[in-house]
Amino acid sequence: MKRSTGRAAAAAIVVVGCGLVALAIAYYEQAGSEAGLLTRTGPAVIWGLPLVKLVFNVAAACTIGSLMLALFALPPKGKAFTQALMLAGISAGLWTAASVSMSFLTFHSLANLALFSEGSGTAFISFLMDLDAGRRGALSILLAATVTVLCFIAHGHREVSLAALLSFAGLVPLALNSHATGSGSHPDSALSVVMHMAAAAVWLGGLLALVVLRKTVEPAMIPAVVRRYSALALVSFVALAVSGLLAGWSGIGTLTALATPYGAILAAKSAAFVVLGIFGLLHRKWVITKLEQAPHRGAKAFTVLAVTELAVMGASSGMAAALARTPPPTVAETGAAEQTAQIPSAVDAFSAWRPDPLWSLACGLAIVLYLAGLRRLRSRGGNWPAYRTALWLIGIAVLFVVTNGGLHAAQEYLISAHVLTQMSMTAVVPLLLVPAAPLSLAEQTIARRNDGSSGAAEVIDAVIRPVLSATADPVVPAVGLAATLTLLYYTPLLEYSSTTQFGYAAMTMLALLAGCLLITSVTRAFSGPAAAALTGRLLALGGAAAFYSFNGWALAQQPDQLPDARREPWQISVNPAFDIASVVDAEPAGLAMWLIGAGSLGAATAVVLLSARRKAGVLPDGRGRHAAARELVGAYGPAAAAKPVFESRPEGSPQAGRALNDVPLDP
């Protein structure tokens, strides 16, 4: 225990020490500027805020990294698992204290009051209760304190999972208060900031926890644990690159802004990121191999490289703390003025681009992971239908265009673009992704763990398969689809989803999930008598059609095609040079829902009927005039495929030799 405490202290000194040096260098000029504005707060507040922000970052990262290691890398019954939870609890306690200090110093900075001045205590309580910035700070304190308690009482993966989710949620209030969310070039980049902070926390905190806990891991398990952490770090690296690029560009706006203090810090932080990427490559290509071949020398190489990496990460964290207190050029030059809404033309709606950080990352990972699984399957001698790969690539391409293209930009102003986005996610994309059978591919290529820890295969079994089983009856996802549409169009989520990144992410994920569950349920292979199952599937599709019809009619009845909650701000904010009535009357929101819904449900109904006929033996097995129908049905149901595709599992495994035709609940 004493050795673990010593290692933790040494690692913390490396990270915080390098962070302090970088912070002092990066923030010196801005601190001088703030001293002229905050005449009554003094240097304790001016320098205290970025210092506390650095501690906040490191403590939150260590909490999240330790929890992620406990969830996905460490055996749950080992000493390292227990020590990881203890490290997470101590870090969360420090995180709570840093959150309290940040709220306290933020109040004095905004009020320009000296510390502990007369009446400041009452004003601080009012700040926490009445102002958005104060309430967010209070929420951050509450979440960090809750995570602290959960870490100390957790005994299994359920409690650790809850603590990890709350830890990620604890990053949101700080992101909403950051400079980046008020950038003039992008009024809402909060999601980019949260993604950036979360990815950095997993990467930095995971490595910090791994260095501290390495001696508590069984020697035979060290290569596997490092390899698992390396996978988490790789995903974090990609997420940091995507979110950092989008958030950074929203802050500087032009390349010439790199000459500003904000741009200089951003450039230095980017250089550190490249160096860290090289370190990560060395871990994957060199250190892990040495750990497997020569554990003793490999451990030394890992320690040296990890400590060096932590030093660079600490410096990067210090620069991040300075960056959070430095106004971006887009705000410093123009102020955080609201953008004037402009009605895009029809060409702009389909040719313009507005990258979304979440869906850009998700689409990229979806393609890479699918192709990696396909490559692994073929290297083992397995087969995979080419049409499935084609459907997956086309589906992800459509998903990327919808969530990053002109529809994403236009849906803020045009309800028809909003409807096209939602219907594409609900009705079009699932028709392409579901028959690509990603779960079947994952089950054939992802190795299961035998040490009790959770990997991708275990997550599929624990989370995804139960959801598919619960929605196997088509009536359940049909009701879920109706509930989703009601939530998206008849609650405040409609306005929230069209004006904020968080709302847009919630809307698109809900729509995609509802559509995929419905298509999966109605197009899955018949496991019993076709007649009984056919009735339920057709009723579910009919119910979905009725709800689409009603929703489309309701949209068509609105004279300006805009819900009541958005009419007044729309007419105030748009350019008065436009004839609003003539433009918005032309928005075919209701017609778009009818046409897309009819096409999607019609295709699904055709597949269901053809599958039922095939089950009943009406469609012949030989090549003939029904060949095209069989190909279509085969795309949506493994049990309807002409030839079984066998898995390539190691001999003796429970799934060895099992055909794809037998994979349940995955068309």
Side-chain angles (χ1 to χ4, degrees):
M1 182 64 185
K2 291 183 178 179
R3 291 184 178 180
S4 297
T5 304
R7 285 193 298 271
I13 289 173
V14 170
V15 175
V16 177
C18 293
L20 288 174
V21 173
L23 172 62
I25 297 173
Y27 188 61
Y28 182 79
E29 181 176 348
Q30 179 61 27
S33 301
E34 291 193 0
L37 299 174
L38 304 177
T39 55
R40 286 182 285 179
T41 59
V45 173
I46 295 174
W47 280 98
L49 266 174
L51 288 174
V52 171
K53 176 66 166 61
L54 174 61
V55 176
F56 180 101
N57 289 347
V58 175
C62 194
T63 302
I64 292 173
S66 300
L67 291 172
M68 295 299 286
L69 275 186
L71 273 177
F72 298 113
L74 299 173
K77 296 182 180 180
K79 180 181 179 182
F81 183 85
T82 304
Q83 293 293 318
L85 294 183
M86 182 173 294
L87 178 61
I90 295 172
S91 301
L94 184 59
W95 180 7
T96 305
S99 298
V100 173
S101 301
M102 278 194 65
S103 295
F104 184 71
L105 293 175
T106 297
F107 159 72
H108 283 83
S109 175
L110 293 176
N112 193 17
L113 292 176
L115 290 177
F116 307 108
S117 58
E118 183 178 356
S120 62
T122 303
F124 176 59
I125 299 299
S126 177
F127 168 74
L128 293 177
M129 297 178 63
D130 299 334
L131 297 182
D132 286 343
R135 285 194 289 261
R136 290 166 185 160
L139 179 60
S140 177
I141 296 169
L142 178 62
L143 289 171
T146 304
V147 171
T148 304
V149 175
L150 283 175
C151 289
F152 284 117
I153 66 173
H155 296 289
H157 278 174
R158 290 186 179 181
E159 297 92 343
V160 178
S161 299
L162 178 59
L165 289 175
L166 291 178
S167 297
F168 285 115
L171 301 176
V172 176
L174 181 64
L176 294 176
N177 284 339
S178 70
H179 279 297
T181 60
S183 168
S185 63
H186 198 306
D188 180 29
S189 59
L191 184 59
S192 299
V193 176
V194 170
M195 285 179 57
H196 198 74
M197 294 172 64
V202 173
W203 193 2
L204 167 60
L207 184 61
L208 186 59
L210 194 57
V211 170
V212 173
L213 301 172
R214 185 178 64 83
K215 292 291 186 179
T216 65
V217 180
E218 296 181 10
M221 283 294 300
I222 290 179
V225 172
V226 174
R227 188 184 301 107
R228 293 166 185 174
Y229 162 75
S230 182
L232 293 174
L234 179 59
V235 175
S236 300
F237 179 83
V238 176
L240 275 169
V242 173
S243 59
L245 178 64
L246 296 180
W249 184 255
S250 71
I252 59 174
T254 62
L255 292 178
T256 56
L258 289 174
T260 64
Y262 184 94
I265 299 174
L266 188 64
K269 196 165 175 282
S270 301
F273 177 74
V274 173
V275 173
L276 290 172
I278 297 173
F279 286 157
L281 184 63
L282 290 175
H283 273 296
R284 295 183 66 84
K285 298 296 185 182
W286 177 54
V287 172
I288 294 178
T289 302
K290 288 185 72 67
L291 284 170
E292 293 173 340
Q293 296 176 352
H296 182 67
R297 287 188 297 171
K300 288 185 177 181
F302 168 76
T303 302
V304 171
L305 186 59
V307 170
T308 306
E309 189 173 358
L310 285 175
V312 179
M313 286 181 171
S316 184
S317 297
M319 288 185 281
L323 202 65
R325 295 293 302 165
T326 305
T330 49
V331 173
E333 295 174 5
T334 63
E338 294 185 1
Q339 290 179 306
T340 301
Q342 299 290 335
I343 300 178
S345 67
V347 176
D348 292 337
F350 292 95
S351 62
W353 288 94
R354 173 171 289 179
D356 181 88
L358 177 63
W359 287 113
S360 296
L361 177 64
C363 290
L365 289 177
I367 291 177
V368 170
L369 293 177
Y370 195 93
L371 294 180
L374 181 62
R375 179 183 178 185
R376 180 179 295 183
L377 179 65
R378 289 179 174 172
S379 68
R380 296 174 178 175
N383 296 318
W384 190 254
Y387 68 80
R388 287 184 173 175
T389 305
L391 285 172
W392 183 259
L393 296 178
I394 295 172
I396 296 299
V398 173
L399 177 62
F400 181 81
V401 171
V402 169
T403 55
N404 291 270
L407 284 179
H408 184 192
Q411 62 94 32
E412 292 187 9
Y413 316 118
L414 303 178
I415 190 66
S416 57
H418 190 84
V419 171
L420 282 171
T421 299
Q422 176 266 310
M423 289 300 296
S424 297
M425 303 294 283
T426 303
V428 178
V429 175
L431 282 174
L432 297 168
L433 298 186
V434 170
L439 292 187
S440 294
L441 180 61
E443 288 180 338
Q444 296 177 73
T445 55
I446 298 176
R448 296 186 177 276
R449 299 182 181 180
N450 55 12
D451 59 1
S453 62
S454 296
E458 288 72 25
V459 171
I460 290 174
D461 289 341
V463 179
I464 299 179
R465 285 301 180 189
V467 172
L468 292 177
S469 297
T471 57
D473 185 346
V475 175
V476 176
V479 173
L481 176 64
T484 300
L485 291 177
T486 301
L487 184 65
L488 294 180
Y489 287 99
Y490 301 100
T491 70
L493 183 59
L494 174 59
E495 182 177 5
Y496 187 62
S497 63
S498 66
T499 56
T500 68
Q501 281 189 342
F502 282 113
Y504 182 79
M507 181 270 289
T508 48
M509 285 191 290
L510 277 174
L512 183 61
L513 176 63
C516 286
L517 290 177
L518 179 64
I519 296 300
T520 298
S521 180
V522 299
T523 60
R524 62 193 293 264
F526 290 99
S527 57
L534 179 62
T535 302
R537 298 185 187 194
L538 292 180
L539 284 175
L541 291 171
F547 205 82
Y548 280 145
S549 300
F550 171 78
N551 237 23
W553 173 83
L555 287 169
Q557 298 309 303
Q558 304 214 27
D560 62 357
Q561 293 291 288
L562 290 164
D564 292 338
R566 291 178 59 195
R567 285 178 186 166
E568 184 176 350
W570 169 270
Q571 298 195 22
I572 291 176
S573 61
V574 295
N575 190 329
F578 287 90
D579 184 354
I580 296 174
S582 64
V583 175
V584 296
D585 284 345
E587 294 183 35
L591 182 61
M593 181 168 285
W594 287 334
L595 291 178
I596 297 177
S600 147
L601 295 177
T605 302
V607 171
V608 170
L609 292 176
L610 289 172
S611 298
R613 293 184 67 190
R614 182 67 180 273
K615 176 71 176 178
V618 176
L619 294 180
D621 289 333
R623 301 297 299 179
R625 63 190 183 93
H626 296 295
R630 282 197 308 278
E631 291 295 330
L632 177 62
V633 175
Y636 281 85
K643 294 182 179 180
V645 181
F646 286 90
E647 300 182 6
S648 178
R649 295 270 186 180
E651 293 185 5
S653 66
Q655 293 85 10
R658 190 175 63 158
L660 279 178
N661 306 49
D662 300 326
V663 177
L665 298 178
D666 196 343

